[in-house]
């Protein structure tokens, strides 16, 4: 399968980067093709111009590439920290510019945008891994779970991706090495569950054993 992995964190030594690396390694070991973007490393421009909003607008080359990748993805993995109950601005800008009409969703003919959207993404599964410095109990009691609503309901369900799983890891700032290693093990297990070893790789392994 073609799996799109998007990372939104500015620090290379962050636990978010460790999560993304674990995701990529697991997907590759399972025989999947990975399209990876570290938005900060690539200096992705998050600014959506007014000219770019309409369906069918002329797009920059890099945005066309991102649109093609998400259109052809069989699965999507997003990794980012919880900042103010939201993704970092660079990732929000990626959503604004790439999750666009005619690529990720459309409305029925004659519908001006007030109706129910038709999801266009072919991906069957989306995973989101988040990090937080707020204890889960306080997060839920005081803030609810805005990231769950954002990614599950407002983005992926809207665009036709019905199989969704999200995991928040924390508290990051006080976590010990053992905890982080356990969390990365959970990341591997989750990726294995939703994107298992591809049949082609299983057959190849079988042929090597027989040979």
């Amino acid at each position: 399968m073609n799996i799109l992995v998007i990372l939104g964190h500015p620090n290379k030594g962050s636990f978010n980067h460790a999560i993304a690396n674990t995701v990529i390694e697991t997907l590759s070991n399972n025989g999947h093709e990975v399209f990876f973007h570290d938005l900060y490393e690539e200096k992705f421009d998050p600014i959506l111009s007014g000219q770019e909003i309409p369906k069918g607008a002329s797009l920059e080359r890099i945005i066309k590439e991102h649109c093609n990748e998400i259109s052809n993805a069989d699965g999507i993995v997003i990794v980012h920290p919880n900042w103010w109950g939201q993704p970092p601005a660079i990732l929000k800008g990626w959503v604004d510019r790439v999750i666009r009409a005619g690529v990720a969703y459309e409305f029925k003919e004659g519908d001006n945008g007030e109706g129910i959207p038709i999801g266009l993404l072919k991906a069957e599964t989306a995973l989101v891994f988040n990090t937080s410095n707020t204890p889960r109990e306080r997060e839920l009691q005081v803030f609810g779970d805005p990231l769950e609503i954002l990614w599950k309901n407002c983005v992926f369900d809207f665009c036709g991706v019905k199989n969704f799983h999200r995991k928040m890891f924390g508290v990051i700032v006080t976590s010990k090495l053992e905890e982080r290693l356990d969390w990365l093990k959970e990341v591997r297990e989750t990726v294995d569950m939703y994107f298992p070893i591809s049949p082609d790789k299983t057959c190849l392994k079988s042929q090597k054993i027989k040979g």
Side-chain angles (χ1 to χ4, degrees), residues 108-196:
K108 292 182 179 179
E109 186 175 352
D111 187 328
N112 293 319
E114 74 279 5
I116 298 176
I118 301 169
L120 298 180
L121 294 183
K122 65 176 284 192
E124 295 184 359
T125 300
L127 306 180
V128 176
F129 294 109
N130 298 132
T131 58
S132 176
N133 285 327
T134 303
R136 177 171 172 76
E137 294 75 14
R138 182 171 186 270
E139 179 80 33
L140 294 176
Q141 291 175 5
V142 179
F143 306 110
D145 198 348
L147 287 175
E148 182 79 10
I149 295 172
L150 169 66
W151 288 113
K152 183 178 187 297
N153 300 340
C154 299
V155 176
F156 289 118
D157 188 68
F158 189 96
C159 298
V161 184
K162 303 302 182 183
N163 193 19
F164 176 83
H165 177 81
R166 177 177 154 267
K167 175 65 179 183
M168 180 86 80
F169 295 104
V171 173
I172 297 298
V173 69
T174 58
S175 63
K176 302 293 189 291
L177 175 61
E178 293 78 8
E179 288 179 288
R180 296 190 176 203
L181 292 175
D182 285 341
W183 291 339
L184 293 179
K185 179 182 177 183
E186 184 175 347
V187 170
R188 283 192 294 272
E189 291 172 347
T190 301
V191 173
D192 275 334
M193 179 185 302
Y194 287 94
F195 304 115

Side-chain angles (χ1 to χ4, degrees), residues 6-8 39-40 43-49 52-53 59-60 62-63 66-67 70 78 80 83 86-100 150-151 155:
I6 301 295
L7 168 63
L39 298 181
Y40 282 96
K43 295 180 172 54
F44 182 87
D45 182 359
I47 303 299
L48 174 69
S49 67
E52 193 176 294
I53 293 176
L59 303 176
E60 296 178 16
I62 188 63
I63 301 303
H66 278 267
C67 289
I70 200 167
I78 308 287
H80 73 85
W83 286 356
Q86 306 170 75
I90 198 169
L91 181 52
K92 175 58 169 65
W94 178 85
V95 171
D96 289 345
R97 301 190 73 187
V98 177
I99 310 293
R100 54 182 291 110
L150 169 66
W151 288 113
V155 176

